[in-house]
Amino acid sequence: MRRGDALADLGLTEVPTTHDGGADTMRPGALRGAARGRNLDGLAHTLFLRLSPVIAAVVLLTQVAIAWVNYGDQIRIEGERAQMMANMTARALARPDWTASYGPQLQALALDPAFRFATLRDAAGTVVGRFGEEPRGRGLERIQVSSEIEAGAAGQPAGSLTLVLSAESLRANAEKQVVMVLAASVALILAFALSLRLAVGRHVLAPLARLLSAMGRVERKDWVTVDLADHRRPSREIADVSAAFNRMVEGLRSGDEARHLLAELERTHARLAEANGLVMESLGYARRIQQAVLPGPDALRGGALDVAVLWEPLHVVGGDYFWIEEIAGEGSETLSVVVVADCTGHGVPGAFLTLIVATALDRILHDRSLCRPDAILAALDGVVRTRLRQDREESDLSDDGLDCGICVVDRAAGTLAFAGAGLALTVLSGDGVARIKGRRHGLGYRPTGREDPLSAVTLPLGEDRTFFLMTDGVSDQVGGASRRLLGHRGVAEILARHRDLPLDGQVRALDAALSDHRGAEPRRDDMTLVAFRPKAS
């Protein structure tokens, strides 16, 4: 709808809509055309012409469908009754001498008001007897059924009975139903027209007449407003227009109201700019704090793994977290731990959860010395539930948590142990791209009692294998002409195309491909991806 269409539908096309503070609006005669001689009844007439064909078609099609279904049911029931009569008569004729004594049975069929014709044939198809008048005319006006007469040796059919019943009464009933359908449709259309007239007159035309009358008085500088508390309650749109008109009148009455509003707007804008500066400054500090709890450059460059990271919060701070560290195993071996977590939400709330996860993970790895990924996840789940007070039986429990994936790499044994809760591990090798899913449920959240147990999967490292832990912000990106969701398969195809690049080159190529896929579409979530593989010996 164009801007002028709404005014045209309301009969206000002659009211100018300028931005000069109302000077042109108050020009003598500017509102006269809107306040006089407008055919407001045309709105009800237009609505009736637009809506009545649709209502009539829906009602008519519904009633015709009901009548057709009823007619079909009656035909089916009458056919079943005719078949039952034919079967009963055939059983009554099932005697060796049935060809000589069939009269009473056929006469019994003639007692049915719908009976028209019956034919008896022997096993060779020769007509043995007829009863009634053979029907002529359309086949839709009769129901014809047949039944075999089993009077031969070893139950072999000795003949057949063909029975014809009239369906004229059913057709007459169907015609009556059609007439009733048409009558009901006409009655509903008339009721709809009357209801539309009353409703539009009460809630649209009468409030519009009040509004136009007030416009005429305002043209004469009689500063009146439209009373919205009248017993004829207007529609929401007209109420909004009337409220806007009242505000306009109040602004014209005060004269310098626009200047005051502009000054107040400028002061408000200045306060908002100051508040926004404080918020952005606070978020900048928060980002530095969040980056401080993430692994530093030394953790990424050192150790036994070649690592590349993509970490992009949706806002200044985010709810995604990753950690890379080397810890001591249960023996004397050194293990590499890679953790990626996607906390509830993004922005400041998600960043608070990442701090909880960071402190909990530090205690689990160093104070409790856990080194199995499923054990680390279980301990992290317990700490998060305790910190968020989800281990209490209260009605206002926090329903926050996180999805997490943990890999523990044992270079000495040449294995990688993975456990996930809501996150999967993507493996790129010479055989293609494989996705190893973890547990379906995340960590934290309100307990449901249906959570699956946490378990670990052990994989060989392999020289040609590259491993990726990523949050769903990487795959859940919409773009393209059809606004298609990229999905895990799309991410896997991108990784497979750039498998020959160095690890950091693969991550940069993935980031560029994601940006190309989104196009003008904005990101919807935080993005975190950690790619790693054992360093060459």
Side-chain angles (χ1 to χ4, degrees):
M1 178 180 287
R2 295 184 298 272
R3 182 176 63 180
D5 293 341
L7 297 175
D9 291 342
L10 294 175
L12 306 178
T13 52
E14 297 184 20
V15 180
T17 56
T18 61
H19 301 280
D20 59 355
D24 191 50
T25 304
M26 297 312 302
R27 189 181 69 251
L31 300 178
R32 189 176 300 121
R36 298 179 183 174
R38 310 302 295 176
N39 184 14
L40 297 179
D41 290 343
L43 180 60
H45 181 69
T46 302
L47 289 175
F48 174 75
L49 292 180
R50 297 281 179 86
L51 298 179
S52 59
V54 178
I55 301 297
V58 171
V59 171
L60 187 61
L61 290 176
T62 303
Q63 296 293 336
V64 167
I66 294 174
W68 178 258
V69 171
N70 290 336
Y71 179 70
D73 289 342
Q74 292 176 359
I75 288 291
R76 179 179 56 80
I77 293 173
E78 192 68 14
E80 292 175 354
R81 188 176 73 86
Q83 188 64 54
M84 182 180 66
M85 292 172 56
N87 292 340
M88 293 176 63
T89 305
R91 291 193 185 98
L93 289 170
R95 297 190 303 271
D97 59 342
W98 68 274
T99 56
S101 58
Y102 55 80
Q105 288 79 6
L106 297 185
Q107 291 175 359
L109 289 175
L111 297 177
D112 191 291
F115 175 80
R116 288 295 178 269
F117 184 69
T119 304
L120 286 174
R121 288 181 173 84
D122 57 16
T126 304
V127 176
V128 176
R130 289 188 176 91
F131 193 78
E133 182 179 355
E134 186 171 359
R136 291 182 174 83
R138 294 177 298 176
L140 296 176
E141 297 181 352
R142 62 179 181 266
I143 298 173
Q144 180 173 324
V145 296
S146 298
S147 181
E148 295 179 347
I149 302 174
E150 298 179 355
Q156 296 296 323
S160 63
L161 168 64
T162 301
L163 175 61
V164 179
L165 298 183
S166 173
E168 295 177 359
S169 61
L170 300 181
R171 181 177 58 80
N173 289 335
E175 293 174 353
K176 291 180 181 178
Q177 288 188 4
V178 171
V179 173
M180 292 175 62
V181 164
L182 295 177
S185 301
V186 172
L188 287 173
I189 291 300
L190 294 177
F192 166 74
L194 179 60
S195 301
L196 180 65
R197 172 67 184 180
L198 294 176
V200 172
R202 181 180 181 86
H203 301 293
V204 178
L205 300 183
L208 275 179
R210 287 203 316 252
L211 181 60
L212 293 178
S213 176
M215 287 181 179
R217 296 179 63 181
V218 168
E219 183 184 10
R220 298 188 296 271
K221 296 187 178 181
D222 182 7
W223 307 112
V224 298
T225 57
V226 179
D227 184 11
L228 299 179
D230 191 81
H231 66 282
R232 293 186 176 182
R233 183 179 179 184
S235 65
R236 181 172 61 102
E237 291 79 5
I238 296 180
D240 293 341
V241 172
S242 301
F245 173 78
N246 291 342
R247 291 193 298 270
M248 181 195 72
V249 171
E250 292 297 331
L252 293 174
R253 180 188 299 172
S254 59
D256 61 346
E257 183 70 17
R259 291 191 298 274
H260 292 320
L261 290 176
L262 181 59
E264 181 63 26
L265 179 62
E266 291 177 350
R267 289 191 294 271
T268 303
H269 183 270
R271 290 194 296 270
L272 287 176
E274 182 181 1
N276 182 68
L278 294 174
V279 170
M280 294 305 298
E281 183 179 358
S282 298
L283 286 176
Y285 281 118
R287 182 180 178 89
R288 286 199 291 271
I289 293 173
Q290 187 174 35
Q291 288 178 331
V293 301
L294 296 175
D298 294 338
L300 302 181
R301 290 193 295 266
L305 298 179
D306 187 10
V307 180
V309 175
L310 172 65
W311 182 74
E312 292 186 11
L314 180 62
H315 304 299
V316 181
V317 293
D320 283 1
Y321 173 77
F322 71 94
W323 186 251
I324 302 168
E325 184 180 0
E326 290 192 350
I327 63 173
E330 296 178 352
S332 59
E333 72 278 7
T334 299
L335 305 178
S336 299
V337 178
V338 180
V339 180
V340 171
D342 183 1
C343 299
T344 302
H346 44 73
V348 175
F352 272 110
L353 282 177
T354 62
L355 296 179
I356 295 177
V357 173
T359 56
L361 189 62
D362 181 71
R363 292 183 57 187
I364 291 169
L365 293 179
H366 299 101
D367 296 348
R368 301 174 62 174
S369 300
L370 297 179
C371 57
R372 287 191 5 253
D374 52 342
I376 297 174
L377 283 179
L380 184 60
D381 182 50
V383 174
V384 170
R385 290 183 184 276
T386 301
R387 294 287 178 86
L388 299 180
R389 298 182 180 180
Q390 294 172 341
D391 54 347
R392 304 180 183 182
E393 295 182 358
E394 299 175 0
S395 58
D396 57 344
L397 293 178
S398 165
D399 195 21
D400 300 313
L402 65 146
D403 296 337
C404 186
I406 299 179
C407 292
V408 177
V409 179
D410 187 348
R411 283 291 305 274
T415 59
L416 178 147
F418 165 74
L423 286 187
L425 174 66
T426 302
V427 183
L428 176 63
S429 64
D431 298 331
V433 181
R435 187 165 177 260
I436 302 172
K437 298 181 179 180
R439 189 182 74 172
R440 182 178 181 182
H441 302 89
L443 306 181
Y445 302 104
R446 294 181 182 176
T448 63
R450 298 190 299 270
E451 290 83 1
D452 299 328
L454 293 166
S455 60
V457 178
T458 302
L459 304 172
L461 290 177
E463 295 182 356
D464 62 339
R465 288 193 168 191
T466 305
F467 303 91
F468 300 87
L469 277 177
M470 68 188 78
T471 61
D472 56 8
V474 177
S475 57
D476 293 350
Q477 303 205 35
V478 176
S482 60
R483 301 188 77 252
R484 178 178 57 88
L485 184 68
L486 180 63
H488 295 287
R489 180 177 298 179
V491 174
E493 292 175 355
I494 296 172
L495 295 175
R497 288 200 303 267
H498 303 92
R499 65 194 318 152
D500 296 330
L501 296 177
L503 200 57
D504 56 349
Q506 293 183 31
V507 174
R508 287 196 300 269
L510 174 63
D511 191 16
L514 294 178
S515 179
D516 292 341
H517 176 77
R518 289 194 307 270
E521 290 287 334
R523 283 197 296 118
R524 303 187 298 180
D525 200 357
D526 305 318
M527 276 198 319
T528 298
L529 178 141
V530 176
F532 61 95
R533 60 190 173 198
K535 290 184 177 179
S537 302

